[in-house]
Amino acid sequence: MTSLDTLSVKDFVYYSNFPFLPYSPFTQDLVDWFSAQNESTKALVFEGLCYQGVSQGQLAYLTQLYLQISAIFLIFNNTFLQGFAFQCLNSNFGPSALTSYQQQLSELGQIAPPESVFHWDPLTPCGCYWFQYLQPPETQLDSIEFICYQMGYSARDLQRAFSYLTAPIYGMQSAPNGLLNASQALISQCLEFSANPISRVAWFHSLDISRQIAAVDQLCNSPDYSTDQVAHVLQALTNGTVPAEVQLQAEECLPTHSMNWSQLIERFFNDPLNPQLISWFVSQPEWEKVRLIYFFTDGETVYSPPYRVYSILQIQNIFKEYLSHLPATQWTSQLQQTIAMRLESISQITLHEVYSYIANPITCVWVASQNSTVQIEFVNHVCTDLNMTDIQLLGFFRVLVHAIQPSSIVVDAIQMCDPVIQRNSLYMLHTVAFSVLAFASTIGLVYLTYFIKNIELPKVYIKKRIDPGEATLRHAFKYALTPFNIALLACFVALIGHDITWALMAHSYLNLFATSVEPAPIKQIFILSFMFAWTIAYVAFIWHRSEALLRHVWPRQANAIHVCLLATPFLFVGPLVSQTVEVATFILLDFVTDVLQAIAGITLLLLDLLFLACFSIFAAQATVDSPDARFSIISRFGMAANALCGVYSVLMILKPIFGNDLTAYFSYMVGAVVAIHLVMVMLVWMKVELHREEVGRDARLGERGVAGMVDGRRSKAPSWHGTIRSKDASKG
């Protein structure tokens, strides 16, 4: 992360979204850096923000950013800097954008509400300066209540915050407003209640309804208490005559007390008017309420289950219901203005303007808010956009139809989109191809199991002089599950899972309008997991089957090669780790995954070349009638398997070339997976030929044994020819 000493205008503009981020030492560095700059440097920042906002076509975001920076750095009335903001908005977005900004700036500058400064953290120099110098004394009470009830601080952090805000500012004279006695009393009450709410029951009952609800919210938000502890405290506080609104707030607090943001989205966003979601909204600090508003209006819901967005009218109705559960305070009014401003900025986008930032999820909100005629016109324009690749076009429509749930005539317009949507027949071919390969793998697994059980195992029993009728399950596992068989069986199991996942991946692209979509990165994790398992099993099989041959060809280097083989899993697992991190952190790591997959492919290719060289050397030395017939079989089929696996490795190394064309990518992967299946054919064929050779060898040995026994008996029997000759001789 960039340090304070090395920050520049470019860095500040790049990290300019810091008012919307959680407080951290780095965000404080940004505050301190900007505060220390002269007017000329600050003007460069305003120009940089303008260029960034205009290039991205984000009027609403740019306006909100100028307002937030004006609030945090207290430059509402700085005509020099505001002049740059005025010129930027007027020249790039028109007079209406300028008028809207000036009006909001005027309202913000008259009495800056605490959330504009404390939106992300009060413990900043500007927060302290704002609290002590710029606000009328009565606003201190509102600020103290805001920090106490809306910030979600622990008792320790509340103590720290109030100590910070009321401490003298270094280098400044005494604050003209001072700290009111009422403010001191309110701080004491807040700290006592946060530290030990049970002891403040009488004080709680003396509050009005709005402050009782705020106190309940503070308990629900406090990180000091578990859900059980919150339930116990709320029972003590409401064990008496309390208004029905307060009792309801206490009851609705508990189900969402321990729920984090991602759980909330997954559970409730398909039903945004769920009472528990409303309760959660009411109990949250101000910045979380604003965050939820931005989440809906920016279309960020499209990235989370149920992968949909809401129209402007729907968002208005949702937050109308939310705000009806809040007391009528200045903060509620500010939230209403934020919602109205966000939705107005979306409604003002024209059909021509929306194309300039089509990749922004706010586009889905805009499309969802239009009638069918405009939606069809939008679809037709996107279909003819030559700047979008096939994969981008298909991906956009998949997101759009899930997000806005369009009418049937809009769906028909999307289905007519040329060329990608009409390529669905290719995805059907890919689905069928991977399904056939999965079936072939299953047949291979069944045949291998049959071969081991019914052909190989009985022969082992004969050699071990075990009666097949008396053989136990322990005998079967002991003699059937050899290292060779385990590795080969594992190869087939991994390959079946790999093929099925690819078939599901291809099939998911057949239906643009499915009710649920599993992100492709999840399937990629399964694919990489199965491929990692297959690779490890394949290398293990090749090593176990070829170790004796390799030690025969390279006796001195064999141990070193074995050590290198033991290290290869760390290289093979790289793509799987990268893809898992991407899914877990939402950080785009496609390039890293491609690089790691290329490294894994190169590693496997080098191993294949190593074994191929070993087999070739042996084959050149051996003869057809060599006593090493088994080695000859291993070398022949090993060369074929290594050559095919080398083809697969090369294809994996070159895979990123096809990343921009999804249909070509699927066709490419079909070819790569076929190469893997041919490798398995060679390995099973090798096993069958080794078995045949062993049976033939045993038969030959048996024939020689019988012949030897016959020759021995003949040597002990009388020689009829000799007898006859001796008789003739005697006669003679």
Side-chain angles (χ1 to χ4, degrees), residues 678-696:
L678 293 177
V679 171
M680 297 306 299
V681 169
M682 291 297 108
L683 296 183
V684 174
W685 198 351
M686 176 198 297
K687 185 175 184 63
V688 172
E689 288 300 317
L690 287 172
H691 175 76
R692 287 179 178 174
E693 194 281 331
E694 188 174 358
V695 171

Side-chain angles (χ1 to χ4, degrees), residues 160-171:
R160 177 169 166 255
F162 288 129
S163 298
Y164 182 90
L165 289 175
T166 58
I169 300 178
Y170 179 77

Side-chain angles (χ1 to χ4, degrees), residues 308-309 367-368 370-372 375-376 379 397-414 512-513:
R308 64 163 298 182
V309 297
V367 175
Q370 308 305 312
N371 58 42
S372 298
Q375 289 179 346
I376 292 174
V379 168
F397 279 127
R398 284 176 58 80
V399 170
L400 187 68
V401 295
H402 288 290
I404 71 173
Q405 299 181 358
S407 63
S408 58
I409 58 173
V410 178
V411 170
D412 291 340
I414 294 175
L512 289 172
F513 316 107

Side-chain angles (χ1 to χ4, degrees), residues 10 29 38 50 65 84 89 119 170 186 212 239 251 282 286 313 330 392 394 484 630 657:
K10 182 178 179 181
D29 283 348
N38 57 35
C50 177
L65 195 57
F84 287 94
L89 295 172
H119 176 69
Y170 179 77
L186 186 57
Q212 284 184 346
N239 188 18
E251 292 173 356
V282 171
E286 205 67 23
L313 182 60
Q330 180 182 353
Q392 289 173 332
L394 183 58
F484 313 108
R630 289 172 58 83
I657 297 175

Side-chain angles (χ1 to χ4, degrees), residues 578-693:
S578 174
Q579 188 68 38
T580 304
V581 170
E582 178 176 330
V583 171
T585 62
F586 300 101
I587 299 174
L588 191 62
L589 297 175
D590 288 350
F591 176 75
V592 176
T593 303
D594 288 340
V595 170
L596 292 175
Q597 192 148 16
I599 292 174
I602 292 172
T603 303
L604 185 59
L605 179 62
L606 292 176
L607 290 178
D608 286 323
L609 292 175
L610 176 70
F611 282 108
L612 187 62
C614 175
F615 295 146
S616 301
I617 292 173
F618 180 84
Q621 296 173 349
T623 61
V624 176
D625 297 325
S626 170
D628 296 319
R630 289 172 58 83
F631 282 174
S632 298
I633 293 173
I634 293 173
S635 65
R636 290 200 311 272
F637 286 96
M639 282 190 291
N642 290 141
L644 290 168
C645 191
V647 171
Y648 168 76
S649 301
V650 172
L651 292 176
M652 288 300 97
I653 296 170
L654 301 177
K655 186 179 70 171
I657 297 175
F658 296 86
N660 290 328
D661 190 335
L662 197 58
T663 52
Y665 174 70
F666 272 100
S667 301
Y668 183 81
M669 287 309 304
V670 168
V673 177
V674 167
I676 300 178
H677 284 73
L678 293 177
V679 171
M680 297 306 299
V681 169
M682 291 297 108
L683 296 183
V684 174
W685 198 351
M686 176 198 297
K687 185 175 184 63
V688 172
E689 288 300 317
L690 287 172
H691 175 76
R692 287 179 178 174
E693 194 281 331

Side-chain angles (χ1 to χ4, degrees), residues 44 74 83 123 132 135 232 326 352-353 358 368 386 432 487 519 528 577 610 668 718 729:
L44 292 175
L74 309 169
L123 309 184
Q132 293 191 27
Q135 297 307 306
H232 176 68
L326 295 176
H352 177 73
E353 291 172 340
I358 194 170
L386 299 179
V432 171
L528 292 173
V577 172
L610 176 70
Y668 183 81

